[in-house]
Amino acid sequence: MAKATFQRPKGTADLLPEQTAQWQYVENLARVLFGDYNFKEVRTPIFENFDVFARSAGDTSDVVTKEMYDFHDKGDRHVALRPEGTAGIVRAFVENKLYGPEFDKPYKAFYIGPMFRYERPQAGRFRQFHQIGAEAFGSTSPALDVEIIAMLINYFQTLGLDNLKVAINSLGDQASRAAYRQALIDYLKPHFDELSADSQARLEKNPLRVLDSKDPRDQVFVADAPVILDYLTDESQAHWAKVQALLTALDIPFEIDATMVRGLDYYNDTIFEIMTVDETLKGAATIAGGGRYAGLVEEFGGPEMAGVGFGIGVERLLSLLAAKDLNPVTPQGLDFYVVNIGEETEVTAMQVVQAIRGFGYVAERDYLGRSAKAQFKSADRYQSQYVVTIGEQELADHVAKIKNMATGQQQTVKLTDLYTDLPTILDAQGDEEE
RNA sequence: GCGGUAGUGGUGAAGUGGUUAACACACUGGUUUGUGGAUCCAGCAUGCGAGGGUUCGAUCCCCUUCUAUCGCCCCA
């Protein structure tokens, strides 16, 4: 290697101005819209004690067993970069005693930020990615489940996305799940040898995942497998029915996907995913996912308190927006470009740009001592509306030239007028044109 | 963690085991001693991801590695 070269870490991205404008738009819309639903922003650390994530996600989940971006710090503390947002929020909820009676329930929080998973990058999947998420604690009402789904739909529609699929399912409570798990094992066991190798392993570890298999050998059995919805306890059944009724009442179309299983182990009752039906993004069709959970707050040392939440994959959302050609942010050109010719004009040029900026206009100038032609080319590339020219002659006369780039009209103005009345001068020019 | 494909300048790319690595766009300068989107002219990779090997000789062959990309697992 002749020279040390540096590349960004695998699975990460540099977001340049062309992209950041888009990111800001999407993030700011979330801030405003989630605010309408009375969610407040919470910012938690990007890394936490390893156990914060290990405990919450469940020991069998891949997120914990092989995707955690963890390391030991100089104090030999085992820490991990957060793989998802919920755990940190729950930890903060408990640590700051937000479950206390002085805080209204449900306690609603949203977050925006990077997440990390150590895995092979591919379509819609990165080692550092970003999520916009929300959590609400302290209510088991199905209305809260539905409100969160409605908020997501509201958000996506405002961004211009329609034709999204809302898939929902219920995992039931502990008792429902235990009963179903056994039924599923009883059903699949006799066919064990016919299952794919992956599913054979899944049957041991987490039988529900067999339902998710893409292998045709497994899908044969999945088609006739017992359905979890038939195993819900009365309480879970009631919750589930209410969720559907409320979604219908809000005219939110949804599909029941009884085979849907989510990646993190803590979910119960309602789970949902928002997916695109766009074929080009099939590898990363799920744009947002979430659900209801119980026991997490208690797990972190708080009282038993239910939660519901979701996470939106920002990269996936943005690529979908791009695929749909929904790029609401248009690049902004300059208001002014200041051309100066000759070294003697340097000081005045500087004063003029600053004065223009002082009026709130976007202004740029040349710093390379280039020719007038080159400077005008720059002005053109910046899509500048006006060009102010200061040469030796103008300097001697205490004036500057202002050229309207669209019309080609150029006028001479006194520097003193420019400094005090630039907006008026522009208005006057506008009148003349009409 | 496993498997497939790829890696040439700022960008898109052509190319061959052997003297100066096409072409286009972009950029810079000139054509116009101080004025933009056009024309024409000129300049612009001691280098073909990195390291090693084969060879008289490699960007082109082999190995390793890194990165990208697609799929599996899993997931946002």
Side-chain angles (χ1 to χ4, degrees):
Chain A
M1 222 192 286
K3 246 181 218 172
T5 58
F6 295 99
Q7 297 175 299
R8 60 179 182 264
K10 185 198 266 283
T12 63
D14 296 318
L15 300 178
L16 306 179
E18 203 179 318
Q19 292 107 48
T20 52
Q22 214 53 246
W23 278 71
Q24 287 167 5
Y25 173 75
V26 162
E27 290 172 352
N28 289 338
L29 179 64
R31 288 196 165 90
V32 171
L33 199 123
F34 293 1
D36 290 348
Y37 288 76
N38 197 31
F39 280 77
K40 303 282 203 299
E41 182 169 0
V42 166
R43 302 190 191 192
T44 63
I46 268 170
F47 63 94
E48 300 266 2
N49 187 304
F50 178 87
D51 293 327
V52 168
F53 305 118
R55 293 283 278 296
S56 71
D59 298 330
T60 69
S61 74
D62 274 29
V63 170
V64 171
T65 56
K66 64 175 202 184
E67 293 176 1
M68 198 86 94
Y69 225 120
D70 66 321
F71 56 96
H72 290 265
D73 71 7
K74 290 180 180 176
D76 201 34
R77 284 173 281 258
H78 190 191
V79 296
L81 268 27
R82 62 184 186 194
E84 50 94 26
T86 304
I89 298 287
V90 173
R91 195 228 77 233
F93 180 76
V94 172
E95 188 166 340
N96 295 287
K97 298 187 165 52
L98 304 178
Y99 50 74
E102 68 270 44
F103 296 99
D104 285 318
K105 301 296 174 305
Y107 186 90
K108 294 168 158 184
F110 76 86
Y111 58 87
I112 296 177
M115 306 293 163
F116 305 82
R117 287 183 201 174
Y118 194 89
E119 61 183 343
R120 278 282 281 274
Q122 53 186 284
R125 213 164 326 168
F126 311 92
R127 288 193 171 177
Q128 175 175 340
F129 62 103
H130 298 75
Q131 287 191 344
I132 300 175
E135 311 288 343
F137 300 101
S139 166
T140 55
S141 168
L144 195 55
D145 305 20
V146 171
E147 175 176 292
I148 273 186
I149 294 170
M151 182 167 86
L152 272 170
I153 299 300
N154 193 173
Y155 177 63
F156 290 135
Q157 283 182 343
T158 308
L159 286 170
L161 294 170
D162 39 28
N163 201 22
L164 288 172
K165 188 169 111 185
V166 180
I168 62 171
N169 191 23
S170 175
L171 257 28
D173 52 22
Q174 292 277 17
S176 312
R177 257 217 275 196
Y180 176 66
R181 186 191 155 95
Q182 196 50 54
L184 190 61
I185 291 174
D186 291 344
Y187 167 78
L188 290 172
K189 254 299 174 32
H191 305 292
F192 187 81
D193 294 334
E194 302 162 69
L195 294 173
S196 68
D198 281 331
S199 283
Q200 291 182 355
R202 281 188 275 241
L203 192 53
E204 305 288 329
K205 249 174 63 179
N206 191 343
L208 297 214
R209 280 211 212 297
V210 176
L211 301 174
D212 240 4
S213 176
K214 287 166 196 153
D215 196 305
R217 281 174 295 175
D218 300 329
Q219 287 173 345
V220 176
F221 301 111
V222 171
D224 295 318
V227 176
I228 189 158
L229 296 173
D230 295 333
Y231 290 80
L232 299 182
T233 57
D234 290 346
E235 207 181 347
S236 283
Q237 179 56 50
H239 187 99
W240 174 234
K242 191 78 188 202
V243 165
Q244 293 174 70
L246 289 170
L247 283 172
T248 306
L250 291 182
D251 290 323
I252 295 173
F254 60 91
E255 285 179 28
I256 295 170
D257 181 354
T259 66
M260 181 167 68
V261 182
R262 304 231 64 244
L264 303 163
D265 290 353
Y266 49 64
Y267 290 110
N268 67 13
D269 284 322
T270 319
I271 58 171
F272 57 89
E273 291 188 4
I274 315 287
M275 315 196 238
T276 172
V277 293
D278 194 306
E279 263 303 300
T280 60
L281 294 148
K282 59 184 182 323
T286 303
I287 299 173
R292 175 167 280 287
Y293 45 85
L296 257 188
V297 174
E298 199 172 14
E299 182 79 30
F300 281 92
E304 170 44 28
M305 199 170 262
V308 222
F310 66 79
I312 301 168
V314 180
E315 282 82 359
R316 290 184 179 185
L317 173 60
L318 287 169
S319 64
L320 177 60
L321 288 172
K324 297 282 182 195
D325 213 23
L326 293 168
N327 295 316
V329 180
T330 48
Q332 208 59 50
L334 291 181
D335 296 316
F336 284 89
Y337 190 93
V338 175
V339 169
N340 73 303
I341 304 145
E343 250 179 78
E344 317 75 60
T345 60
E346 174 74 23
V347 173
T348 305
M350 198 78 237
Q351 290 170 329
V352 169
V353 207
Q354 286 299 89
I356 292 171
R357 290 168 179 159
F359 284 111
Y361 296 112
V362 182
E364 185 55 286
R365 55 161 296 206
D366 174 75
Y367 296 96
L368 304 172
R370 296 181 304 158
S371 68
K373 180 190 174 73
Q375 294 187 53
F376 265 85
K377 274 192 168 180
S378 287
D380 194 48
R381 203 169 330 132
Y382 279 125
Q383 299 178 53
S384 191
Q385 290 189 51
Y386 298 96
V387 170
V388 174
T389 306
I390 301 155
E392 286 161 36
Q393 192 56 54
E394 288 82 358
L395 192 63
D397 298 344
H398 302 291
V399 299
K401 290 198 170 122
I402 299 181
K403 180 169 184 176
N404 180 321
M405 295 297 273
T407 64
Q409 273 185 358
Q410 185 163 263
Q411 60 175 318
T412 303
V413 301
K414 287 185 192 155
L415 281 177
T416 51
D417 293 343
L418 191 155
Y419 289 143
T420 55
D421 276 323
L422 182 56
T424 315
I425 295 169
L426 296 183
D427 284 348
Q429 193 191 45
D431 291 343
E432 282 168 23
E433 283 162 20
E434 286 167 27

